[in-house]
Structures are given as structure tokens and as C-alpha cells.
Amino acid sequence: MLRPLLLAVALSTLLPGISFAATAPVAVSANAATTSLHRFFDEEWERGLREYPENATANGDTRFNDRWTDQSLDAIHKREAEDRDALARLKAIDRNALSEADRLNYDVYLWDLQRTVERQRFNEWQRPLTQRGGVQTADEIVELMEFRTVKDYEDWLKRLDALPTVLTQTEALMREGVKAGNTPSHVLMERVPAQIRAQLVDDVTKSRFYQPFLKFPDTVPEADRARLRARASELIRQRVIPAYREFATFFDTEYLPKTRTSIAAVDLPDGKAYYDFLAGYFTTTDLTADQIHEIGLKEVARIRGEMEKVKAEVGFKGTMQEFFQYLRTDPRFFKKTPDELFEAYQAVAKRIDPELVKVFRTIPRLPYGVRPIPAASAPDTTTAYYQPGASDGSRAGYYYVNLYKPETRPTWEMVPLSLHEAVPGHHFQFARGLEMQEAPMFRRTAYFVAYGEGWGLYAERLGYDMGLYDDPYDRMGQLAYDMWRAVRLVVDTGMHAKGWSRDRAIEYFMDNSPKTRQDVVNEIDRYISWPGQALGYKIGQMKISELRERSARELGDRFDLRDYDDAVLETGSVPLSVLEKHIDEWIAARKQAPAAAKAR
């Protein structure tokens, strides 16, 4: 899973039906069309960085580190108008005059823009925060900022000075949501007051916003440090904390009582159309909620059968529910302290690294590290997530792990989780994308959920090919994680389209997975706050696995898993239909190549 900060502004998934049939280029206008398209991509990339400064920060572009996204109604409507204008400008470019590569770039951007414009009617800006993040956790952007120069610190001071405005703007959006009946579920918003209160410290130096001033690098002159600390203390004491105190009062007394009791997306304004949109958006298919629900039920049954085999292998004599309870509670599967848990995650990551050559020929150059999820948000977020590296290579990728309540974090989940979030999962996917030097930036940093999370889930199963599942309990962990994503298909559609209650979804999850209740409740609440997103994982994994089986069947002894895995990643993040077309062409090319060419 990607870090929530990025998900708000990253290029995401598209609808199916994109046609990539070759068309004859028009030589006389090819140069003009190509120039126009590339200029359009450059201008839109720049607009995205300028309009969403947090995204620029995440990409390692420091030019806008002194500001936040303008969340005023005027700014939101202006951005929506600019998106509509961008769509018209893109359509005015002669697609037939482009090269094959640029036709693909054109079509990908066109469909993303079309979906962005279509999405405007749902007014998601009226729900500007969730229990997993928002203005109440604005300090977490520090994780993405480099503090090396005086200007870096002064940029942060300007962000601190502007933060009360962001809080005021957010409050205004929430008021609009209340008027429109477009609010988050009450059960989720009950988690937020504690997150806001975490910002109300008595000692300024304990504020998470003050963190960069606790230790300066040698590159910041001693003469500047006292001034910077004093200004930070002043801003946090006189502006930031009072603004959060006012926001807390508004949230507790006005907003929380007016949030909706329903959990279903279909109960939002124009809710059925909204959930239908999200299901297609996140899966890049035209599957209906009912079809996805049935796929999930079948996968749950299949994986359950595999779990029974592992239970028999380890000699456990009880029922599956008793086996799940054993996996959730036996001390052998848990570390005693957050530090021990963190060290174990680091050890698993190092164990994976040397085995990657068994399943890849191409290893990306960008490194990655392991970090704990910030303590303030850890109780309300998932087991782990990945933060991509900076697009210019100035910041490594990071695998964030949840150390909250180590007694709820079983060791049997560490191998599949690390394969998914770090290598060869999300880190390989994003690092390889950044190495597509000839592609426009939006393609190099793209994130389509069905492809990206499908790849992460597929990467968990690569652990078998890498020899990492020699312990049956680690294999049970892989099955548990596969089951986790199959269950998502059932409970997400169940809650948002079929009338399931939150409790029913939690119990279904617990009945079919050994994950702990702490994780299960957080997961279910995530699906409530982020409808449809969880559908992309299993649908994407099933397509990538299907294409692998097709490749092996058609290529026979010419099939090499290393080449297949490289071929999947070399497209960058794309809709599943585009990936399938690419792999079919790759198969055809391998069939025609001389036998000796199968090994590169």
C-alpha cells in the first residue's frame, strides 16, 4: 500500500476500454503534434507540483516546500476548471500524428483526465480528512522533507505560519459537507479527536512540528540555530497549537455529531454511481460489484483449502478457527517490544535482498530503507505501507512498519508483508518506473491500483520462487495475506453495495483469516473510508498470475521467470488491459526469437 499522503494526488487507475490499435502516422504533422503533446505533459506536470506542493515535496522537488495546497473553495473550483481545460487541450492534439509510444502516453493521460473530470461531480473535497490522515496529521510531511540548509528550515517555518489557514479552509470544506449530507461515517470520525489532541502539547519542544529543530546538521551555521528555534517555538505556541485547539472544538462539538451513521458509499449523495465509478476506477475493469463479490467468495474458498493443508502439515489437531486463534495468540509468534519487532523487520528485509536474482534480471538502482510508522498515526493505520523515493533519486524509498502493540504483530506475516511493501513489491515497481528515462514524468511516477497493488500481492507469491517459505508458518502467513485480499473483495462490496454492517464485515474477516482483531478492525475501517480501493489488489494479482501462466504455457522451455517479471515491470504502472496487450506482444516476440536469445 502506498503512503496515504501520495494517494491523494498520485496518478491512479483508469477505466477499461482503452484502444491501443496502431494507426498510421501523419508525417506532415508528426513533429507539431509530438511537440504539442510533450509540452502539454511538461505543463501539466508542473501544474500538479505547483497546485499540490505536498506532492512536489514527495517527489523531491523543494521549490514549493514553503506552502500547502490551497484548500479554499475558489482554489478547488479553479483546479477543477483547469482539469476540464486540460482535457480539451489534450483532445485537440492530433493523436494519429504521434508515434506508437506517444499514442500510449496520450491514451493513458486522456483516460486519467476523463476520470478526473467525471469524478468532480462527487465533491469528494467535502470530506477532506479520514481517520488515516488529513490536516490533523500534517506534521507527517516532515518524513519527506530534507533539512540540510537554512532555507530548508525557513521553508518549514513558512509552512508552520500558514498552517492555521489550512485548518480554517479544512473546516470550511467540512461545513460544506455537512450542508450537502456528504460526511464520513461517525464510527471512523470517533478516532480523529485523539489525533487532533496529540497536537495540543504544553511543551513546544514535544510538538511533532518542532522535530526538525531538535538536531541541526553541520550544514546549518551555529549562528542561525537559535533564531530558527526561537521562531519555531513562537509559531507553534502562538499560531499552530491555538489553531488546532479551535479545530478540536469545532470537530468535537459541531462536526462529529453531524457525521453519518451509515458506512455504505451508496448512502452518500449519488452514492450508487459513486461506488460503481470507484469499482471501475480502482480495478481498471468493467466488473460489477456483484461479479467482484462472487470472485471473492470463490477465492476465499480456494485459499481456505490451502490453509487446511498447512494446518495438517504442522500437526495442529483443532478446527481452523482454533488454529487461527493459536496463530493470533501464541507467544512464539510475537516480539515483546517495538524495538525487537523493528529489528526483526530489518532482518527479514536483508534476508530477501540476495534472493532477488532468482526472479529478476534487472535490479533497480534506487535503494530502500525500513522505518517505523509515526507513533501518532500508528494506532489508526494499517500494518505497513511504502513511501516511494524522490523522482530525482535524492531520497530513497522507505518501507514503513507498524510497531504499535507488538503483541498484535505476528512474525509469520513478516515475509509476505516485506515482499509486498518493499522488495520486490512496491519498491521495485516504483524504482523501475523512475528508470524509464524516455517516458514523461507522469508515466514514470504513475500509480494504478490494480497494477501497483496487484504487483505487490503477486510479489508475495514470488517468495516461493525465491526459497523464502521454507517454514510452514511463513507459508501460512502468505496464505493469510492472500486470504486478506480475497476477503476484501467480499467485505468491500458487501458493505458498500450489499447492505453489510461493519460488525458483519469484521466477523467475516475474522472467520476466514488469522489476522489479529486490531488489524482487522483497522482494515475494515480503511475500506469504509476508502471505498473500492481494496478491490484492485486481488483483481490485479489474478491478472498478473494469469498472464504468467499463459506465458509459461505458450513459451514452454523458452519461458524464464526472470524475463517475465522484468517484462511486467518494464511498462511502468498501466491499466490491466494495457499490461495484457504488452505481455501478449512479448510472448509473440519470444516465440519468433532464435532459441539462443531466450537467455539474455
Side-chain angles (χ1 to χ4, degrees):
M1 183 186 73
L2 277 191
R3 191 166 193 251
L5 172 68
L6 289 182
L7 294 175
V9 289
L11 179 68
S12 209
T13 54
L14 313 177
L15 286 182
I18 302 174
S19 173
F20 290 94
T23 53
V26 181
V28 68
S29 58
N31 289 340
T34 300
T35 299
S36 296
L37 183 68
H38 290 188
R39 182 170 61 246
F40 172 85
F41 287 153
D42 290 343
E43 290 170 353
E44 285 299 288
W45 177 257
E46 184 69 14
R47 177 168 75 94
L49 298 178
R50 184 176 65 251
E51 297 288 348
Y52 300 99
E54 299 89 344
N55 201 29
T57 299
N59 276 286
D61 189 328
T62 63
R63 291 176 297 158
F64 310 106
N65 274 6
D66 60 347
R67 67 196 77 170
W68 306 94
T69 298
D70 187 345
Q71 296 288 9
S72 67
L73 278 172
D74 285 346
I76 290 170
H77 294 323
K78 178 175 178 288
R79 288 194 292 268
E80 290 180 339
E82 289 172 342
D83 287 338
R84 294 191 296 269
D85 176 68
L87 181 58
R89 287 189 290 121
L90 181 59
K91 287 182 175 180
I93 296 172
D94 183 2
R95 180 186 180 281
N96 292 335
L98 301 171
S99 67
E100 182 178 356
D102 273 337
R103 285 198 297 274
L104 187 147
N105 293 331
Y106 176 102
D107 288 339
V108 169
Y109 208 97
L110 173 67
W111 278 93
D112 186 71
L113 261 181
Q114 287 176 321
R115 299 307 287 167
T116 296
V117 170
E118 180 182 352
R119 197 170 189 164
Q120 290 177 5
R121 70 184 174 113
F122 301 118
N123 295 327
E124 291 170 307
W125 52 265
Q126 293 176 344
R127 291 177 280 118
L129 56 82
T130 74
Q131 85 284 3
R132 296 177 59 243
V135 71
Q136 77 276 18
T137 56
D139 58 282
E140 290 187 6
I141 199 172
V142 167
E143 297 275 328
L144 306 181
M145 297 177 67
E146 300 288 345
F147 290 91
R148 296 172 179 167
T149 68
V150 170
K151 185 179 185 304
D152 292 336
Y153 282 88
E154 289 177 338
D155 283 345
W156 182 234
L157 292 175
K158 290 177 181 177
R159 269 186 167 160
L160 293 180
D161 195 25
L163 192 54
T165 298
V166 181
L167 283 156
T168 300
Q169 290 175 340
T170 302
E171 181 178 324
L173 300 183
M174 295 163 77
R175 291 183 188 278
E176 291 293 319
V178 169
K179 286 191 290 186
N182 189 3
T183 63
S185 296
H186 185 86
V187 69
L188 304 185
M189 292 298 96
E190 288 178 318
R191 292 173 174 250
V192 174
Q195 297 172 355
I196 302 172
R197 286 195 300 271
Q199 305 291 4
L200 306 181
V201 297
D202 294 325
D203 181 353
V204 167
T205 64
K206 302 299 183 184
S207 169
R208 299 196 300 270
F209 291 104
Y210 190 82
Q211 177 184 335
F213 302 91
L214 294 174
K215 184 178 180 180
F216 288 94
D218 294 339
T219 49
V220 174
E222 189 71 38
D224 290 298
R225 298 181 185 184
R227 171 181 63 83
L228 294 171
R229 286 195 181 104
R231 180 58 175 159
S233 297
E234 177 186 21
L235 287 171
I236 295 170
R237 182 182 301 109
Q238 298 181 8
R239 288 184 57 74
V240 174
I241 292 177
Y244 272 110
R245 188 169 289 115
E246 290 182 12
F247 188 71
T249 300
F250 158 74
F251 192 94
D252 292 345
T253 62
E254 294 188 49
Y255 189 69
L256 185 58
K258 295 177 181 177
T259 52
R260 63 190 172 97
T261 56
S262 166
I263 62 171
V266 294
D267 293 330
L268 291 166
D270 202 11
K272 184 180 185 306
Y274 181 49
Y275 190 66
D276 287 344
F277 168 86
L278 293 174
Y281 185 83
F282 287 121
T283 67
T284 68
T285 72
D286 56 1
L287 292 169
T288 67
D290 285 344
Q291 289 172 322
I292 293 170
H293 193 82
E294 287 303 313
I295 291 171
L297 292 173
K298 290 177 182 177
E299 277 293 282
V300 167
R302 179 189 66 79
I303 299 165
R304 184 88 177 209
E306 295 298 315
M307 288 179 163
E308 290 284 357
K309 294 177 184 177
V310 174
K311 180 168 75 74
E313 180 182 349
V314 299
F316 191 88
K317 301 302 182 183
T319 66
M320 183 60 73
Q321 282 304 309
E322 290 170 336
F323 189 42
F324 286 169
Q325 187 62 14
Y326 168 67
L327 293 170
R328 292 178 187 132
T329 59
D330 193 281
R332 68 175 288 189
F333 300 123
F334 297 90
K335 300 298 181 182
K336 293 181 179 179
T337 68
D339 285 345
E340 290 178 358
L341 183 60
F342 187 63
E343 289 174 2
Y345 272 117
Q346 290 177 310
V348 169
K350 290 302 180 186
R351 180 186 170 202
I352 293 170
D353 286 349
E355 309 302 329
L356 294 168
V357 293
K358 295 179 179 178
V359 290
F360 296 93
R361 294 191 190 276
T362 305
I363 307 295
R365 295 185 296 273
L366 188 71
Y368 78 98
V370 185
R371 283 180 173 176
I373 290 175
S377 57
D380 302 309
T381 196
T382 49
T383 312
Y385 54 71
Y386 174 71
Q387 169 63 61
S391 57
D392 64 356
S394 61
R395 185 188 68 247
Y398 280 99
Y399 167 34
Y400 281 80
V401 295
N402 201 327
L403 306 182
Y404 176 70
K405 289 188 175 180
E407 68 275 13
T408 69
R409 314 287 174 189
T411 55
W412 46 255
E413 71 181 355
M414 287 183 173
V415 172
L417 182 61
S418 300
L419 288 166
H420 182 116
E421 300 294 348
V423 292
H426 288 325
H427 181 68
F428 263 41
Q429 171 203 340
F430 282 93
R432 284 289 305 276
L434 290 175
E435 293 178 1
M436 296 166 53
Q437 295 298 322
E438 301 304 315
M441 282 302 299
F442 85 90
R443 287 285 314 285
R444 294 169 63 192
T445 59
Y447 174 67
F448 297 84
V449 171
Y451 175 98
E453 299 298 349
W455 171 260
L457 187 49
Y458 169 80
E460 294 175 21
R461 297 175 69 173
L462 284 177
Y464 292 104
D465 303 292
M466 298 164 69
L468 297 172
Y469 290 126
D470 49 349
D471 185 323
Y473 288 106
D474 287 339
R475 293 203 301 279
M476 188 65 188
Q478 184 274 317
L479 290 171
Y481 269 52
D482 207 16
M483 177 68 87
W484 173 17
R485 281 41 171 259
V487 165
R488 284 176 170 178
L489 300 184
V490 179
V491 299
D492 194 286
T493 53
M495 290 189 294
H496 290 298
K498 301 177 79 68
W500 282 34
S501 69
R502 178 173 178 263
D503 285 344
R504 180 179 176 183
I506 290 171
E507 292 313 310
Y508 183 85
F509 204 144
M510 294 292 293
D511 287 345
N512 288 288
S513 167
K515 286 186 73 65
T516 62
R517 181 167 287 271
Q518 167 82 24
D519 274 353
V520 167
V521 171
N522 279 346
E523 281 295 315
I524 293 298
D525 286 351
R526 170 189 161 192
Y527 310 152
I528 296 171
S529 68
W530 205 357
Q533 191 269 351
L535 304 178
Y537 294 62
K538 191 66 183 172
I539 298 299
Q541 178 224 36
M542 292 175 72
K543 176 57 68 176
I544 295 171
S545 297
E546 172 197 325
L547 295 175
R548 171 174 164 170
E549 292 169 4
R550 182 188 306 175
S551 301
R553 182 176 63 252
E554 296 195 19
L555 291 176
D557 63 1
R558 289 182 177 230
F559 177 80
D560 189 307
L561 179 59
R562 295 169 296 177
D563 293 330
Y564 172 77
D565 291 340
D566 279 2
V568 172
L569 289 179
E570 69 189 10
T571 65
S573 193
V574 293
L576 295 180
S577 58
V578 178
L579 176 64
E580 184 167 14
K581 178 178 183 291
H582 170 71
I583 294 300
D584 283 342
E585 292 175 347
W586 176 80
I587 292 171
R590 297 283 287 182
K591 284 181 175 179
Q592 295 174 5
K598 71 177 183 178
R600 293 184 299 181

